[in-house]
Amino acid sequence: MRAIADAARIRRFIEALGRRARSPGIVYLTGGATAVLHGFRPTTIDVDIKMDPEPAGAFEAIASLKDELDINVELASPDQFVPAVPGWQERSLFIAQHGPVKFLHYDPITQALSKIERGDARDLADVRALIAAGLVDEKKLVDRFGEIVPQLPRYPAIDVDAFESKVRAFVGGGEKK
């Protein structure tokens, strides 16, 4: 088991990954890494990332950096659990560029919907923090949910009605705190 990741450890990871990459690419940070770097919570268990396009040498760098920095890194993004809201790339937030690699926070709206669908208490706290920080408009979550409904059949584990109820309850203040 590796150490938990605080903001300094995450920043060291992205700086080193950017230096070791051999070509341009984009690395999107998601989940707990976004929450930690925005100051919503002090730590996360792992750094979830999505690479698109993948920088050459990224996987080799990650394999060694996990041990060197004692950090957990997972290939995980909201679009593995819920459909990405159209325009997600344009809404992703710039963090830094190191070497040829740009690092961004994955679209906060899609992150919020993914966290609401999951329904974990920490995830819901992260969504409230995204809203409080002005990164997600609570009133638009239902509209954005409507944009992904046509894609939900591609996610057979999701009960569409239950997901919609979670979103509406969250926006209406009915989610469990």
Side-chain angles (χ1 to χ4, degrees), residues 121-141:
R122 181 180 281 190
D123 286 334
L124 296 176
D126 288 346
V127 177
R128 287 190 293 277
L130 287 166
I131 291 166
L135 299 174
V136 171
D137 182 333
E138 183 177 22
K139 292 178 176 53
K140 291 184 180 177
L141 278 173

Side-chain angles (χ1 to χ4, degrees), residues 38-98:
H38 277 291
F40 303 154
R41 55 175 141 129
T43 62
T44 187
I45 294 170
D46 49 33
V47 177
D48 294 333
I49 63 171
K50 173 184 178 86
M51 298 184 284
D52 184 25
E54 175 190 319
F59 283 109
E60 295 84 356
I62 290 168
S64 61
L65 289 170
K66 286 170 42 175
D67 291 331
E68 291 171 30
L69 299 176
D70 193 26
I71 192 169
N72 290 309
V73 179
E74 298 289 333
L75 298 177
S77 65
D79 59 26
Q80 291 176 313
F81 306 102
V82 301
V85 177
W88 72 271
Q89 291 168 308
E90 293 79 18
R91 284 189 310 276
S92 295
L93 307 171
F94 183 78
I95 300 169
Q97 179 158 349
H98 297 289

Side-chain angles (χ1 to χ4, degrees), residues 95-110:
I95 300 169
Q97 179 158 349
H98 297 289
V101 182
K102 292 181 184 176
F103 293 87
L104 293 94
H105 292 290
Y106 193 102
D107 169 37
I109 295 169
T110 305

